[in-house]
Amino acid sequence: MMLEELESIGKSKSGAILSKSCTLEPRSGNPEPRYSALPFGSINSMGIPNLGYKKYAEFSPKLKQFGKPYIVSVSGMTFEDNVTIVKELSAISEIDFLELNLSCPNLIGKPQVGYDFEQSKILLEKVFSVCKKPLGIKLPPYFDFIHFEQMATVLNQSPLAFVTCINSLGNGLAIDIESETALIKPKGGFGGIGGKYVKPTALANVRKFYELLNKNISIIGVGGIKNGSDVFEFLLCGSTAVQIGTTLVEEGVQCFERIENELRGVMERKGYSSVEDVIGKLKIKK
Ligand code: SIN
């Protein structure tokens, strides 16, 4: 992600600037085509293209001028890389938060750490022993109550600032029937699914972790947010903030202002004056 892209987020109505994930060394990512829009979302296998973590540290004084939190996402290729990057970036005063990505499904030969509860626990312990900044993690989607509980037990033992639910739904497949070919090239066409397809899964993950995590761990919701009503649903489930993925790619940074205005409209119509009154208030049918 280039400086100009991050600056355009700085100038937009987005509440924070979040980099895409960075690694120790620069990476060009997976071969193209590696992203395709789909009728209700997207498929991607980007493979963490990025400029290397040092660049995102260099950008920080410029990005702080926008007066909003600057969050750097970290996705080291190895355990040791994650520890090194977190240690170095956590010493940079203009970076406000770190988000450790435990859930990229697109790295050939590398499993998603978030599906290995023991490994996640060991990594978090090590990372927090070197981190001097508030740090959160980005999780993959879970589908089974026992897995939510196992991961929540690990997370509740860490001084986490937040968890982000969810990364894309890993290893989907999208096909063009005329050419009978997978739409993207890497990994035999398999890639992470985002957009409307994943919203119910994302809401469920936010809700479950809201129920299970210590209340001092905030939850950031992401997955299929296209309009203000979608954000309202994430707030009801327990998110205190949201991230926008596919809609940002498809619409550009003006989506933040549109979605904020729509959320205001939904809240006014329903008689709410503050998001705090909505967070976590999902009702269950009796
Ligand atoms: C990618 O770069 O492959 C997407 C990022 C992610 O899924 O974590």
Side-chain angles (χ1 to χ4, degrees):
M1 213 173 182
M2 310 304 269
L3 178 61
E4 299 74 50
E5 291 173 275
L6 293 166
E7 284 178 329
S8 77
I9 294 174
K11 287 177 202 146
S12 78
K13 284 286 230 163
S14 164
I17 304 172
L18 168 66
S19 76
K20 297 260 303 155
S21 294
C22 66
T23 51
L24 199 63
E25 302 297 337
R27 278 173 64 85
S28 51
N30 290 341
E32 307 212 24
R34 56 194 185 183
Y35 174 92
S36 181
L38 300 178
F40 300 103
S42 62
I43 183 167
N44 92 83
S45 182
M46 304 301 287
I48 320 269
N50 77 95
L51 304 168
Y53 81 98
K54 288 188 179 145
K55 277 278 173 232
Y56 301 94
E58 271 171 46
F59 294 163
S60 60
K62 280 217 163 85
L63 294 172
K64 267 325 276 179
Q65 291 170 10
F66 295 101
K68 39 178 98 163
Y70 176 40
I71 308 161
V72 179
S73 170
V74 175
S75 186
M77 290 294 116
T78 64
F79 184 102
E80 291 73 26
D81 285 4
N82 278 320
V83 177
T84 305
I85 301 169
V86 166
K87 186 173 180 208
E88 301 272 323
L89 291 182
S90 84
I92 308 285
S93 60
E94 294 95 346
I95 296 173
D96 298 284
F97 299 90
L98 298 175
E99 183 185 83
L100 182 61
N101 181 357
L102 299 186
S103 49
C104 178
N106 304 326
L107 297 170
I108 296 150
K110 288 197 188 295
Q112 289 159 270
V113 178
Y115 286 135
D116 182 335
F117 305 116
E118 188 55 27
Q119 194 59 20
S120 297
K121 182 174 182 301
I122 296 167
L123 179 59
L124 284 175
E125 275 168 13
K126 185 69 190 165
V127 155
F128 276 111
S129 74
V130 299
C131 185
K132 305 175 204 74
K133 249 185 219 313
L135 178 138
I137 55 172
K138 184 157 187 176
L139 295 175
Y142 301 96
F143 303 94
D144 193 316
F145 279 14
I146 191 72
H147 294 154
F148 286 111
E149 283 159 21
Q150 286 171 331
M151 196 53 170
T153 303
V154 170
L155 303 180
N156 280 333
Q157 290 163 9
S158 281
L160 278 168
F162 64 88
V163 300
T164 304
C165 301
I166 57 172
N167 207 323
S168 59
L169 218 145
N171 297 310
L173 188 56
I175 296 166
D176 168 44
I177 64 157
E178 294 316 316
S179 62
E180 302 172 14
T181 308
L183 288 183
I184 60 169
K185 182 168 177 182
K187 287 184 71 181
F190 287 69
I193 304 296
K196 282 279 169 237
Y197 301 104
V198 312
K199 196 180 87 173
T201 302
L203 290 170
N205 276 255
V206 167
R207 185 65 189 172
K208 247 317 160 210
F209 282 112
Y210 181 76
E211 288 170 3
L212 294 171
L213 291 182
N214 298 338
K215 286 296 166 239
N216 57 348
I217 304 177
S218 302
I219 300 175
I220 300 181
V222 50
I225 295 174
K226 210 168 175 172
N227 57 42
S229 324
D230 295 328
V231 179
F232 191 81
E233 289 182 52
F234 274 88
L235 294 173
L236 280 177
C237 289
S239 301
T240 51
V242 294
Q243 296 177 5
I244 314 284
T246 301
T247 298
L248 175 61
V249 175
E250 297 299 326
E251 185 179 334
V253 292
Q254 57 276 21
C255 72
F256 296 118
E257 184 165 9
R258 175 184 61 74
I259 293 171
E260 185 186 321
N261 289 337
E262 289 169 357
L263 175 63
R264 275 185 212 290
V266 173
M267 292 194 34
E268 258 169 50
R269 178 171 65 75
K270 297 179 62 64
Y272 287 102
S273 54
S274 146
V275 288
E276 275 72 38
D277 297 336
V278 183
I279 293 169
K281 298 292 162 46
L282 179 70
K283 294 181 200 140
I284 306 296
K285 285 199 191 298
K286 297 245 163 48

